[in-house]
Amino acid sequence: MKDDDAKAIIEARVATKLTPLLKLIDTDLVFWVAGGALIRDGNDVDLFRPNPWPNGIFATLDVRNKSANARTAVVDDVAFQFCNYTKPTLGEMLRSFDFAHCQIGCVASWIGGVLIVEGVEWTPEFALSRCAGTSWFTGSEYPLSSLIRVGKYRKSGILSSGAAIHATIDALVAVVNRGFKDYADFKDQL
């Protein structure tokens, strides 16, 4: 399979997942979809923007959780996470993700009621993780959060027992090396 064929499959999968959500949004919007939802079913769908989300888009959505990091809206039993975390480009954001299997994303445009999904990107670490059938901790600005997610990835089968042990140690070392400035910094890490 060629990269273009793989990208076409991913674009179609993302379009299918986004359609129920976007039919509830009446404003033009360009955003990124990234993470595990691009490669498998059953995951929440993480949405990002290089700029803040316009407040108006949440008026018609069933927002079930709001935190400093994201708003979660549920449509047709699928959780859509409107994340506040961002980087200047999609590629930079993907490289900042803490586990290899998450380093994939694409651009979605909802303009005039028409959805266009394009610009699928992935890192070399992502490609290697797909070939190896596992994942690993790649580093993070939020290593405590990464450490907490190791168990989730082990339980879902993304990490084998051995890979989970390595990821736990690597993330723990990153937490110790980073440290915490104060309690507010600790809470931000979570």
Side-chain angles (χ1 to χ4, degrees):
M1 180 181 290
K2 298 177 185 173
D3 279 358
D4 287 345
D5 295 333
K7 289 177 180 181
I9 290 168
I10 292 166
E11 289 167 357
R13 179 179 296 133
V14 170
T16 299
K17 287 185 178 194
L18 291 177
T19 299
L21 167 72
L22 294 176
K23 287 184 176 182
L24 299 175
I25 296 175
D26 62 358
T27 186
D28 291 349
L29 195 60
V30 178
F31 55 98
W32 303 326
V33 183
L38 276 72
I39 59 170
R40 62 190 175 283
D41 292 329
N43 282 22
D44 53 12
V45 181
D46 294 334
L47 312 173
F48 303 85
R49 281 177 50 89
N51 304 308
W53 292 99
N55 282 327
I57 68 167
F58 300 110
T60 59
L61 299 177
D62 177 16
V63 176
R64 298 212 181 151
N65 187 20
K66 183 178 177 182
S67 71
N69 298 324
R71 291 183 191 189
T72 303
V74 177
V75 179
D76 293 346
D77 295 323
V78 176
F80 293 91
Q81 307 247 17
F82 293 82
C83 303
N84 293 328
Y85 177 78
T86 194
K87 293 289 182 183
T89 68
L90 175 60
E92 288 176 69
M93 190 179 70
L94 297 178
R95 287 187 297 279
S96 76
F97 285 177
D98 53 355
F99 285 87
H101 72 280
C102 294
Q103 295 183 342
I104 182 171
C106 63
V107 177
S109 304
W110 180 246
I111 308 294
V114 175
L115 175 63
I116 299 169
V117 180
E118 59 191 353
V120 176
E121 294 182 40
W122 56 72
T123 66
E125 290 79 11
F126 169 82
L128 183 57
S129 78
R130 297 298 289 170
C131 291
T134 190
S135 190
W136 55 89
F137 177 70
T138 59
S140 174
E141 295 173 25
Y142 298 89
L144 181 58
S145 179
S146 303
L147 179 62
I148 293 167
R149 281 199 314 284
V150 169
K152 169 185 156 185
Y153 295 146
R154 172 63 189 113
K155 184 177 180 181
S156 69
I158 292 170
L159 295 173
S160 65
S161 293
I165 291 168
H166 283 282
T168 298
I169 293 168
D170 292 344
L172 187 56
V173 167
V175 168
V176 170
N177 286 338
R178 183 194 180 282
F180 303 104
K181 291 181 264 182
D182 53 26
Y183 184 66
D185 183 40
F186 172 77
K187 286 186 0 183
D188 184 54
Q189 280 289 304
L190 295 174

